[in-house]
Amino acid sequence: MADDIFFVQPDWQLFANINTLPQQAGVPKYLLPKLVAKELTDNALDVDSEVSISQVTDDNYTNIITIANAGKPFPGDDNTIADFFSIRRPLTSSKRLRLPSRGALGNGLRVVAATVYGLKGKLFLSTQGRKLWLQPQDDGTTQAEVVGSFEGNGTQIEIWIPDNIFGDSSLEWAEMALQLNQGEKYTGKTHPLWYDSDSFFGLLQTIPTHISWQQFLEVFEGISPAKAKVLAKNMIVASPALTDRTQADLLLTQLREGAKEITPKKLGYVGALPEFPVYLKEYGTFTIQPNKGALSAEIPVVVEVFARNDGQQQTHFFVNKTPITGEISLIYGDKKVSLFGCGLNEFFDTPKLKTYPTIWINIITPYMPIVSNGKEPDMAVVAELLANIIPKALTALKKQTHRASSEEMIFWQERSPSQKQVVIEHINQAIAKASGEGQYRYSLRQLYYVLRPSVIEKTGKELKYANFSNIITDYEQELGQDLDGIYRDERGTLLHPHTHQEMKLGTKNVEKYRRPVYNFNKILYSEKEGFFEILKEAGFCERHDCALLTSKGFASRAARDVIDLLANTEEELIFFCIHDADISGTLIYQALQGATRARPERKVKIINIGLEPWEGLQMGLEVERLENESKKNPAQYVLNYEQQPNALKPIDVDATTYFSTWTEWLRNYRIELNAMDTPTFINWLDQKISQYDNGKVVPNPTYLQQEAESVIEVNLKQQIKEELLKQMRIEDLVMQKFRILYPQLVDQVDASEIEKLVRADLGQNPQQSWAKPFQQILADLLRNTSS
């Protein structure tokens, strides 16, 4: 008989039972207070960078956890806030959009309320002038009662757990989240490439009915309000929730066509922590295949490793700067380490360590697959990255230990450490100081001045800036990446055709750079910035749809980075390089294409179009004799020039000197690009580029259709506006109103009073120009006078 009864249990009842709550929260019962503190801290950090946490035990052994943020108040009236903390409410979250931010499911506040209910505790929330006692009920709802006033700003939440049930370590995870709350964070929109067919279709099904198509589409990268409006007009169904799978795939494809790729470097990072002498970072992507549909997701990811040799053998994993609740272990053998848990089962070779370290690993990504309601991540998607970076971190720790042991031996031999040893030993602490614990960017020279006193003290020798730069370059090469948060001075320019917009090549500018859509399909690197004006006036850039790039001689890191950045875009692009016919010019091309101490080899092929020495001679250009034979080793370019067809023929330069190879010639002579007059130079360059010409830039039909609708709409608006203005005789009306109101304004306040008001406003907002408060004051006066 009992087999005929089918019981139906709402999922909220699993939250209401302290014995079944752990399966929803993803942690055992004794960890619930620790999870609650972490969830509330994550929520506070989502809205405010200034968050404080504390834990005390009162005379009745009640454990009181307090989380407060100083800025943004909790929104809503008493009933709305109570609903947020209701166990019974449906799964609700603003984080269905894939972004590299904390949280995922939207169960956090339900877990908080359920923990308080199950452990017979109390929950208080103070915001916007009042203190609320939030009381979870047996039916899954929560009631709010005002029990006092609140004088502070922002929001304060108190959790009271009786009898100090689970000890005094409830803040451990919350404190870790605060410790990682530094560095840079992603400020852009969600990207359509971050969704596969299944997840995008699922997202559409969760859109509330009051959200319009245009509102929804505008949340995606590359979709402006105008484009969103055009796409919205073409939607077959009235609401996103009514979209079928075929329509969803078509829409996702259209969204991807308008969006530029967001590389992993744009996701943000934590950066070095003073407590961890070893810090490494790697970038990658992983793919999510759909069960139904044709579109896979490409998910960018950043992996950061923090390590110290303290013998504690502790491993903590974080996703988007907050600790995960799943267990992942690093198990050390003699020469191998196993990584196990949360979908990981990896083994890799590592150096033998004398003591086992503490390792923190932070993963920043817009999407991490989860395998439970408790948000346990499936780390298998980043297994390859972890297997690559963890051995590097352990090797770096071993080197540091060896370095420390060597320094002890040197100390007993009364010898000073090298400047390089001192710089590397103190590098992370120096970065923390120079960057304000990761809050700000810093320059290489600022880092130099932070480290300089330590180097002088430890070595007794002055640290020369040139030597320091070389040390940092070698260190970055060993790390395989630039120092976190560093910016380097601008050196060079990127000039766009048609708009003539210029971007100075510095670290920050390159990081923010986005290639203009359908603007150029060629880019020319020149060692001479002076050619920019010549080529602009000649219309070269527009004629060939060619951008110009220079870094005044040898290509800077920023120049090489922008080439790699452009190479990752979807539009076709051909890269060219021109240079003088001399040793330096040849090496400029080699450094631009090949690997250097600071950067690996370019990801694209760069076409070298000269000037070559045999070209200059055939053109009858002026040849300069080098007074002293070049001391530079020509080994880097010998192979290139020995393979030229004319390389082994005698070269008559001045009828008295002969060389059997171009390598020998380059050690004695040079020809500059400037030896050509402007008409000759432009004609020569036109011919060179034309050999590889890929035609003019023309967008694809989908983009043209979107732009056509937008342009027609804008033009129609402008035409109608002009016609209405003529009919209404706006200019006459303005002058009539001006003659009436201006004398009244002058009577109300004179220029000296306006000056005082402007100065007072600037005193409160010194970052503004005088023009903004001046215009606002006049607008307010006009509004008051008119009314």
Side-chain angles (χ1 to χ4, degrees), residues 7-53:
F7 297 91
V8 178
Q9 183 181 30
D11 81 309
W12 67 265
Q13 292 183 357
L14 298 174
F15 285 86
N17 186 334
I18 192 62
N19 294 311
T20 55
L21 174 58
Q23 74 186 64
Q24 301 300 310
V27 298
K29 191 187 304 183
Y30 76 94
L31 290 177
L32 285 172
K34 189 181 290 190
L35 175 63
V36 164
K38 182 191 92 75
E39 291 288 351
L40 292 174
T41 300
D42 284 344
N43 286 347
L45 289 171
D46 280 342
V47 299
D48 198 339
S49 60
E50 295 184 28
V51 175
S52 62
I53 58 176

Side-chain angles (χ1 to χ4, degrees), residues 317-365:
F317 274 74
F318 304 75
V319 173
N320 295 329
K321 304 184 181 182
T322 191
I324 68 168
T325 57
E327 289 288 335
I328 301 179
S329 300
L330 274 173
I331 302 172
Y332 298 89
D334 284 343
K335 294 184 179 180
K336 283 188 178 295
V337 171
S338 62
L339 181 64
F340 181 78
C342 291
L344 295 169
N345 189 17
E346 302 295 319
F347 297 85
F348 36 82
D349 296 330
T350 61
K352 187 173 182 179
L353 301 172
K354 293 182 179 179
T355 59
Y356 297 129
T358 290
I359 304 282
W360 285 14
I361 299 174
N362 178 49
I363 297 166
I364 297 180
T365 180

Side-chain angles (χ1 to χ4, degrees), residues 652-695:
D652 188 351
V653 177
D654 58 6
T656 60
T657 306
Y658 294 86
F659 300 101
S660 60
T661 67
W662 291 113
T663 300
E664 292 183 56
W665 187 91
L666 284 168
R667 292 173 65 88
N668 292 270
Y669 295 95
R670 67 188 299 265
I671 303 175
E672 272 205 33
L673 285 167
N674 285 318
M676 287 184 266
D677 56 46
T678 298
T680 302
F681 172 70
I682 293 172
N683 182 59
W684 171 81
L685 191 55
D686 278 334
Q687 291 181 9
K688 288 282 189 175
I689 296 292
S690 297
Q691 295 176 23
Y692 306 91
D693 197 355
N694 53 348

Side-chain angles (χ1 to χ4, degrees), residues 420 444 464-476 597:
K420 183 174 183 177
L444 186 61
K464 301 293 185 184
Y465 183 72
N467 183 39
F468 172 74
S469 298
N470 289 333
I471 292 172
I472 296 300
T473 297
D474 290 341
Y475 182 68
E476 288 178 323
R597 292 165 66 197

Side-chain angles (χ1 to χ4, degrees), residues 597-610:
R597 292 165 66 197
R599 286 291 185 275
E601 186 173 359
R602 302 284 64 68
K603 300 175 183 178
V604 296
K605 175 66 177 176
I606 298 172
I607 300 171
N608 175 22
I609 57 177

